[in-house]
Amino acid sequence: MMHHPARHIGHHAMMMMTHSMRSGAGVAFIFLTIIIGLSLANLTVTPVELEMITVEELQDSSAKFIGVALATATLRASGGDDNSDSLTSRMETGDLVDLGMWARYLVVENPMLLSITVLLLGVVLPLLLPLGSFTVISGDVQHRTVRYLLPRTTRSSILLGRWLGSLILSWALILFLISSVVIYLSIMIPSESLEDLIPWGGRCFLALFFLTIPYVSLGILCSATFSAPMVALLAAIGATVGIPLLSLSLQEAWEPLGNLLYLLPWGYSHQLLSPSMENFFEASAYCLGHAALFLTLALLKFRRADL
Amino acid sequence: MAVNDRPGGMTALSVLNGFFALGVGGTTIQRFVASYELMAKMDGSGRFGRRRGQYFQSLLDEGLTPLDLQILGVMGLIATIFLLVSIWGILKQSNLLGRWLGTIGGVALACFSVFSILWLPDSFLRGSGLSIARQMFFPVFLIFMLHVIFRRDFLNNRQNS
């Protein structure tokens, strides 16, 4: 009896989520994502909560730091003098004024502690997401168990279903993390009101929602490419860490090489928290484009694989 | 093929149990030591440096008593022992030693965190509330995994044995 492919994909997604929670890698992924996410939030909140620093002082210092980080991410830090003081002055009066305003939008116009937490998550999540997807295909290929599924379903359904399952699990974890931080901030930090936190929390979730898609797809691509799960994990994390390091160091030698950053969403992912909704939609579209590319490559690889 | 049918997640969960048992065990020792130091401060028999003496005096001024620390120590001790025993139980997929001792260990760990927040002054906790909320995640996660995700594994193993 033939079933609709969408039902097969949904079934594989459900099975993938159930299996993931029962596997060692899945438990490690869920546990590490939540613990590291809450630790990042704790790192942000502690100085304010223990009154080691005032909200205004943190706003001022974090606006400068975020401005410098944005200048680096947009490959505009190397213009002008090299020291960070000149970067600060360029953000106040020079060619980086837009970045200074962007940083102020994140920490002054919106709940600062949530913005900083989400920015940190945006850096750390790409390293954690491969943990949730590296065994999705390679685990079954290594043990040659995937062949038992093939008489009843298609390779494309397996891959797409497991990709969807990984995504839903990652989104659920991110939603849990952001909700926990929003609830905690609204109760414990009087300067962060629930009326501001809820819409900004929604926007932050959307940003991480789109950021997750290409990195999970990259994990699936590595999982479909390498039959040994640990090699797939190393490849996914290696690419995620290596590309920004490589591009930023090569940029010193020849500036156009900095554009290697765009091989992964590192080059534009910060635009997901841009004040301009146009930039947000553009960055979301790029995320989907990257994901489509990785997923197509993974499909091609998996359909031709000797299972 | 795997040598036995124990899901990998159970092994991972038992490793996490071990980490948290050691963590809460260390804190438990600290609670007992602090309670005896506080008693020594109260009856004037202890010899402390000036700063440490001031610190214990400030804890007493904030209403902390040695009994509070000892009760927390007992909770921590229960959590440590039950979590350690449940490692073996989870690896053996034993319903009693794994699932139920793990649950009691998780509840004791949660109580240990909650009562630490309620009873201990901020200067003693040396952390924000979010770090304690983070500690609360593991007991909730452990109980969810034992009673929802791995429930059938424990029950099937009980029927088979």
Side-chain angles (χ1 to χ4, degrees), chain A residues 12-231:
Chain A
H12 287 303
M14 281 295 294
M15 291 304 292
M16 189 271 151
M17 282 189 284
T18 313
H19 179 261
S20 187
M21 296 190 85
R22 292 172 58 77
S23 70
V27 168
F29 169 61
I30 294 167
F31 184 77
L32 283 176
T33 305
I34 298 294
I35 290 293
I36 292 175
L38 289 177
S39 300
L40 292 176
N42 183 38
L43 195 74
T44 312
V45 174
T46 300
V48 174
E49 199 179 343
L50 298 186
E51 293 172 353
M52 292 152 72
I53 187 170
T54 63
V55 172
E56 290 74 24
E57 284 169 341
L58 185 64
Q59 265 175 348
D60 194 41
S61 57
S62 56
K64 282 179 190 161
F65 180 78
I66 291 170
V68 172
L70 286 172
T72 309
T74 50
L75 304 173
R76 289 163 66 187
S78 57
D81 296 335
D82 282 342
N83 60 49
S84 64
D85 281 345
S86 74
L87 267 181
T88 311
S89 61
R90 282 167 66 198
M91 273 186 277
E92 281 163 7
T93 52
D95 60 321
L96 301 181
V97 161
D98 56 323
L99 299 184
M101 287 170 68
W102 187 351
R104 286 183 62 77
Y105 165 77
L106 292 173
V107 298
V108 179
E109 293 173 33
N110 286 297
M112 168 185 60
L113 297 172
L114 183 59
S115 298
I116 299 173
T117 304
V118 171
L119 285 172
L120 291 173
L121 276 175
V123 176
V124 174
L125 269 182
L127 306 178
L128 289 171
L129 290 170
L131 276 175
S133 54
F134 77 102
T135 54
V136 164
I137 303 293
S138 57
D140 274 348
V141 171
Q142 187 185 41
H143 292 114
R144 298 200 172 271
T145 45
V146 74
R147 60 177 65 180
Y148 301 116
L149 294 172
L150 292 175
R152 283 164 283 164
T153 187
T154 62
R155 293 187 186 206
S156 308
S157 300
I158 294 174
L159 191 124
L160 290 174
R162 291 181 178 189
W163 170 76
L164 189 64
S166 300
L167 273 178
I168 293 171
L169 187 63
S170 306
W171 289 332
L173 293 178
I174 292 168
L175 187 63
F176 175 81
L177 264 178
I178 292 188
S179 310
S180 308
V181 176
V182 165
I183 291 168
Y184 185 81
L185 291 177
S186 67
I187 295 169
M188 299 300 285
I189 310 287
S191 59
E192 313 266 294
S193 72
L194 200 60
E195 293 83 53
D196 296 334
L197 279 167
I198 288 177
W200 186 238
R203 173 77 198 277
C204 290
F205 173 70
L206 262 186
L208 294 178
F209 176 94
F210 282 108
L211 183 69
T212 304
I213 303 173
Y215 286 108
V216 167
S217 308
L218 176 69
I220 300 276
L221 171 61
C222 292
S223 190
T225 306
F226 302 101
S227 58
M230 288 315 289
V231 179

Side-chain angles (χ1 to χ4, degrees), chain B residues 3 9 16 22 30 38 44 46 71 100 104 110 131-132 148-149 161:
Chain B
V3 175
L16 290 176
L22 292 177
Q30 189 200 5
L38 215 55
I71 294 171
W100 287 107
I104 297 169
S131 68
I132 294 151
V148 179
I149 304 295
S161 58

